Amino acid sequence: DGGITQSPKYLFRKEGQNVTLSCEQNLNHDAMYWYRQDPGQGLRLIYYSQIVNDFQKGDIAEGYSVSREKKESFPLTVTSAQKNPTAFYLCASSIETGGSYNEQFFGPGTRLTVL
Amino acid sequence: AQSVTQLDSQVPVFEEAPVELRCNYSSSVSVYLFWYVQYPNQGLQLLLKYLSGSTLVKGINGFEAEFNKSQTSFHLRKPSVHISDTAEYFCAVSYFTGRRALTFGSGTRLQVQP
């Protein structure tokens, strides 16, 4: 089945630790995105990548890092510099044709809790 | 810059009653408009989208939305809700070109009561 997988579903982190959230897609999509969801704030864009080996900061990139070495993978690292990392993290992907809108498909999410 | 406002954080409604979830946006350029639904601890699912053409858009699960350019609104409606419609609903916009990432509203929690 084609889709987006995120792992783990739940993640606990001690203060001061870096953690990496996995996002994999087998849809052959060019573009991938990371969003953070907090109660009452909707989703906010952390990073996005429109092509392999290239990525751009979103609206709340501080304290996060990403890589895009393979088309199907876009891992997100939450560093110790992120002041309040407890949140629900959603990964998405879309085709990138450049000429018209392409629907974003979302993964099931990872809930990160800082202890 | 673009922004999205969802005027109601929670909307309680009885089963089989009609519902409207409100969404207003601001943008200096034309945008695409979307409604997504999220069930607890899950990802988002696209309900419907407005790209161009008819301003009345029909989506899945009996939902529809109307694009009103003069009022910069994209309200979501359903004539008769079911218990299974209980979820969080997000309005979102995207630019035509350049950054394609979505800008989301803060969400509206629809609570359908028997």
Side-chain angles (χ1 to χ4, degrees):
Chain A
D1 288 333
I4 303 174
T5 57
Q6 290 187 243
S7 62
K9 188 172 175 64
Y10 299 96
L11 184 58
F12 297 90
R13 190 195 91 171
K14 292 181 180 178
E15 284 196 32
Q17 285 184 334
N18 293 356
V19 289
T20 297
L21 282 60
S22 168
C23 177
E24 304 275 335
Q25 53 97 1
N26 60 4
L27 301 167
N28 199 31
H29 284 174
D30 305 289
M32 297 186 74
Y33 310 83
W34 275 106
Y35 296 91
R36 170 181 170 140
Q37 184 177 14
D38 295 282
Q41 294 192 47
L43 282 75
R44 293 177 290 168
L45 181 68
I46 304 172
Y47 269 97
Y48 65 101
S49 168
Q50 292 177 290
I51 195 169
V52 175
N53 292 322
D54 186 48
F55 49 83
Q56 307 295 328
K57 291 183 179 180
D59 301 320
I60 55 165
E62 186 175 351
Y64 299 97
S65 65
V66 294
S67 62
R68 189 82 189 280
E69 297 176 1
K70 299 187 295 182
K71 188 175 186 179
E72 58 271 22
S73 178
F74 192 41
L76 174 74
T77 297
V78 185
T79 75
S80 56
Q82 170 48 236
K83 297 285 187 267
N84 184 20
T86 294
F88 192 50
Y89 291 86
L90 287 159
C91 179
S93 70
S94 67
I95 301 172
E96 187 59 44
T97 62
S100 62
Y101 174 77
N102 298 297
E103 180 181 341
Q104 288 188 26
F105 293 83
F106 283 81
T110 291
R111 186 165 297 280
L112 173 64
T113 302
V114 174
L115 302 174
Chain B
Q2 56 195 2
S3 66
V4 180
T5 302
Q6 290 184 244
L7 298 166
D8 306 297
S9 59
Q10 294 189 61
V11 173
V13 63
F14 288 107
E15 195 172 19
E16 297 184 7
V19 71
E20 177 179 85
L21 306 184
R22 296 179 292 170
C23 173
N24 287 87
Y25 69 94
S26 65
S27 176
S28 57
V29 298
S30 296
V31 294
Y32 299 123
L33 295 155
F34 311 88
W35 275 99
Y36 283 84
V37 60
Q38 184 182 35
Y39 299 101
N41 290 312
Q42 295 186 24
L44 273 66
Q45 179 183 12
L46 182 66
L47 271 181
L48 48 78
K49 59 183 180 283
Y50 174 77
L51 305 182
S52 65
S54 173
T55 57
L56 183 62
V57 180
K58 293 191 182 296
I60 63 172
N61 301 341
F63 284 93
E64 63 181 33
E66 185 155 20
F67 170 55
N68 187 317
K69 189 173 182 179
S70 63
Q71 297 187 6
T72 60
S73 68
F74 191 54
H75 300 333
L76 180 71
R77 301 185 184 101
K78 186 169 183 178
S80 176
V81 295
H82 303 287
I83 294 286
S84 59
D85 292 323
T86 295
E88 187 100 26
Y89 291 80
F90 293 95
C91 183
V93 303
S94 172
Y95 285 122
F96 278 9
T97 58
R99 177 175 128 165
R100 300 299 192 95
L102 296 162
T103 298
F104 286 88
S106 55
T108 297
R109 172 88 177 145
L110 177 63
Q111 297 167 304
V112 181
Q113 303 164 0

